[in-house]
Amino acid sequence: MHVKGRRHSKGAGTGPQAGMTMVLVAVLALALSGCSSAGPSGTPDASDTGSATGTPAAGTAPELSQPVGRMPVGDLPGWRQVFSEDFTEGNVAVGGFPGSLYGAKWSVNYVDGTPDTAGQQNGGRSGYYPSKVLSVTDGVLDMYLHTEKGVSMGAAPAPKLGPANDRPYDSLLYGRYSVRFRSEALQGFKTAWLLWPDSGVWPRDGEIDYPEGDLSRAFYGALHQAGSDRNIAHLIQSGARFTSWHTATTEWGPGRVEFFLDGVSIGASTVGVPDKPMHYILQTESCLTGCPAPGTAGHLQVDWVAIWARA
C-alpha cells in the first residue's frame, strides 16, 4: 500500500499506500490474518476473479537462489541483478540513516511527519518518522516501531537503483525483489512492502505487496488488479509469521506475479497484472488493523535486499 495519492502522501511525489480490498475467495483468509482493505474512498471492494492460487502448480521448482539465509549475489536465469544490500558497511545510529555509509543506495523516501496510509484519515496520529525509527546495527537495518506523544511511528525507506537522484529511485518494468526479515509481534504495526506505479494512478495501474500484514499475525502477498477503476485485490496467504527469519521474493513479469517464501512458491496471480513501471518501497506503518497500544514498541529487522531486472 502506499501513502498517497491513495496510499501516497500528498505532496510527497508518487508513492504507495497500504489499503487492502477483501476479495471473495480471500474473505476467510483476510479475517484470519486480520487485514482490512479499502480503496481511496475507504469502501472495501469485495470482488475477486479467483485467479490467485495459494499452492504452486505440480512440478514448480523452488526459487532459484543461493541458500535462503544468504544474500543472493549475481544474475539468475532470466534475471539481471541491479541491486543488493546487506547492511555491512557499518552501524548508523537512529536518526542518521542513510548517512554517508548508505546514502548512495538508500533514501528515507518520506520525511518526518508524513502521514502514512491511515494517517491521511486520522489527522496524522500515525505517520513516517525515519529519524526516530531507522538505524543499522550489526548488519541489519533496524526499524524501531513505537509511539510518541500519541503518534505511532513507522518508516518507508526505498532503495536507489543506479545513480538516480530523484524519486522514484528504483523504477523497473518487471522485476524480481527479495528481502530477508523478521519482527517482534507488534500488534497495530504492519508492513506493506510494495511495488507502486510510477504514474501514481491507482487503482488503474495496480500495485503489488509482499510481505503484507499486521506484525502480530501471518503475512501474505497481494496483487491489486490493474486496468480497473475499483480496488480489486487478489490475496495469497503464506501461513508464516514475522517472528521468525523469512525470505520473501516477488517475481513480476508479463501477465504473471508469483510469490515465494523461503525459496518455495506460495502461489501466483495472472489477472490484472500491472504492465507499467513501478518502484519498490519498504512501507512500514500502523493503524490499518487498529492502532497499536501506546506501550507497544519493538524492532523489525531487514537482513538484506536484492533486486533483479528482466534479462
Side-chain angles (χ1 to χ4, degrees):
M1 320 216 184
H2 214 127
V3 137
K4 196 149 155 177
R6 141 217 145 186
R7 302 176 159 178
H8 238 15
S9 35
K10 298 174 181 177
T14 54
Q17 176 179 319
M20 290 297 313
T21 298
M22 291 193 298
V23 291
L24 293 178
V25 298
V27 169
L28 177 58
L30 268 175
L32 292 175
S33 69
C35 172
S36 65
S37 168
S41 66
T43 303
D45 184 329
S47 47
D48 180 34
T49 64
S51 65
T53 56
T55 55
T60 298
E63 170 194 5
L64 294 172
S65 70
Q66 296 177 17
V68 169
R70 188 178 306 163
M71 183 177 71
V73 176
D75 296 344
L76 296 171
W79 301 101
R80 173 177 54 86
Q81 191 165 46
V82 294
F83 181 90
S84 62
E85 176 65 79
D86 60 2
F87 304 104
T88 56
E89 294 302 314
N91 293 347
V92 177
V94 174
F97 184 84
S100 60
L101 292 179
Y102 300 97
K105 296 174 69 175
W106 287 91
S107 167
V108 298
N109 199 34
Y110 301 125
V111 299
D112 283 6
T114 303
D116 61 15
T117 304
Q120 296 175 69
Q121 277 76 47
N122 67 24
R125 290 188 291 109
S126 57
Y128 302 117
Y129 288 83
S131 75
K132 296 176 177 291
V133 170
L134 298 175
S135 65
V136 176
T137 304
D138 297 333
V140 299
L141 175 66
D142 185 273
M143 299 191 191
Y144 174 52
L145 305 175
H146 64 290
T147 297
E148 292 185 17
K149 298 179 180 179
V151 178
S152 54
M153 299 180 174
K160 297 179 180 181
L161 304 189
N165 293 312
D166 299 305
R167 296 172 64 189
Y169 299 109
D170 55 339
S171 177
L172 291 175
L173 175 58
Y174 308 127
R176 185 177 189 274
Y177 301 80
S178 286
V179 56
R180 185 160 174 81
F181 62 94
R182 72 175 177 187
S183 178
E184 295 176 79
L186 305 173
Q187 186 172 2
F189 289 99
K190 74 181 296 278
T191 63
W193 293 352
L194 54 73
L195 291 164
W196 180 258
D198 290 359
S199 68
V201 179
W202 186 94
R204 186 199 69 188
D205 289 343
E207 172 189 350
I208 303 168
D209 306 76
Y210 184 57
E212 178 164 11
D214 187 286
L215 296 179
S216 68
R217 303 169 186 169
F219 57 83
Y220 51 89
L223 169 64
H224 293 259
Q225 184 172 315
S228 174
D229 60 0
R230 295 181 301 151
N231 180 16
I232 303 172
H234 308 270
L235 307 185
I236 298 178
Q237 297 291 334
S238 74
R241 292 181 175 267
F242 289 93
T243 48
S244 298
W245 281 108
H246 290 292
T247 300
T249 299
T250 300
E251 287 191 356
W252 167 42
R256 182 181 179 87
V257 172
E258 187 164 9
F259 301 112
F260 296 84
L261 176 66
D262 298 330
V264 177
S265 175
I266 63 169
S269 190
T270 57
V271 173
V273 174
D275 59 1
K276 294 179 173 60
M278 305 181 86
H279 50 280
Y280 186 57
I281 300 178
L282 299 182
Q283 183 169 278
T284 306
E285 52 190 0
S286 61
C287 289
L288 284 170
T289 54
C291 286
T296 299
H299 299 268
L300 183 158
Q301 297 174 312
V302 179
D303 186 18
W304 51 258
V305 177
I307 301 173
W308 294 259
R310 290 184 76 215

